[in-house]
Amino acid sequence: MALTSSRIRAVNAVFDTGSFAAAARKLGVSQPAVAQLVRDLEAEFAVALFDRHGQSLIATPLCRRLYAATNRMQALETDALSILEQRDELAGGEIRIGLGNAMPGMALIAAFRNLYPKIQINIEIGSWSTIMAAVVDQRVDVAVLPEVPQDNRFRREPCVQQRVVAICHPVHDLSRESRVSAVSLTQYPLVFRTRDSATQRAVDRAFRAVNLRASPAIVVNTREGMLEAVANRLGVGFVWEHGSSRIDRIAKVAIAEIEAESPEYIFSLAGKRGKLVELFYLARSLSRAADGADILSAP
């Protein structure tokens, strides 16, 4: 069963105009072509989309529901195509992007950069609280971060799902395990982040779930510090599963108490508008349209 964009455009045009003839004029195609697209869709799904009253077509309740859903999709498709067509016109300009994790933000930036190479990109990388403050204070235009609150101040759109995992040196005993419990982790020296880190909050919740209060051997204030501490065998640390593309001297192990994945969001202030901000929100879908592939390797 195929719900193709051409069929949807035909149905929506008939809905808007009330007849096959008027819909054909709106779409710039023949009347028989529009009628056939609508009839094929009705036949394939065994539904009635329009009641025929003389020369007029009245949308059925099911058609009205379909229109409400698909009209939004068409609007997004139109916006995306318009932006793609303008890619060569965008020269100069600057966008400021805040990142909590290096990934998936860097992959989104790569997609954006591939489409709009003449735009200058300024990147601020920091802890969760630092990047939240950067958005609120408008030091950055848009950011990528986990655990963005559902707040009227923010516009947020999920871009990837991921969870916090334990990391150790590849020769560490834990590296041979596919999963570790919070209880088992307490037998090793632990490397924690500072309390303003979303990573650390997830780790704290995992220990609280089994009524444990773990004490770290080392506390670092940056992700790079965490990776370097683990790479130099100072202990077992914690990162977001797809938060970094680094693989040297790092092994990842799932944590039993952190099974559920959490969304990472593209977000900005709700009133923050402008072509470059809109383009960054569309970076993932635009990369698919331009290259026929998903730029983000994370699921």
Side-chain angles (χ1 to χ4, degrees), residues 222-260:
T222 66
R223 183 176 308 96
E224 185 60 28
M226 171 71 73
L227 293 170
E228 287 300 326
V230 171
N232 285 280
R233 309 187 193 188
L234 294 178
V236 175
F238 306 89
V239 296
W240 289 95
E241 188 173 12
H242 307 296
S244 173
S245 59
R246 176 172 177 169
I247 58 173
D248 61 304
R249 296 184 295 164
I250 297 292
K252 298 176 182 178
V253 184
I255 301 170
E257 288 76 14
I258 309 180
E259 292 287 349

Side-chain angles (χ1 to χ4, degrees), residues 11 15 42 47-53 57-68:
V11 169
F15 183 99
E42 289 180 317
V47 296
L49 296 174
F50 298 97
D51 292 325
R52 278 70 172 174
H53 294 279
L57 299 173
I58 308 300
T60 63
L62 185 146
C63 183
R64 289 196 292 272
R65 290 167 55 198
L66 181 66
Y67 179 88

Side-chain angles (χ1 to χ4, degrees), residues 180-199:
V180 63
S181 68
V183 173
S184 297
L185 283 168
T186 59
Q187 67 183 289
Y188 304 110
L190 299 177
V191 183
F192 278 7
R193 291 284 303 278
T194 47
R195 299 297 174 183
D196 60 350
S197 161
T199 307

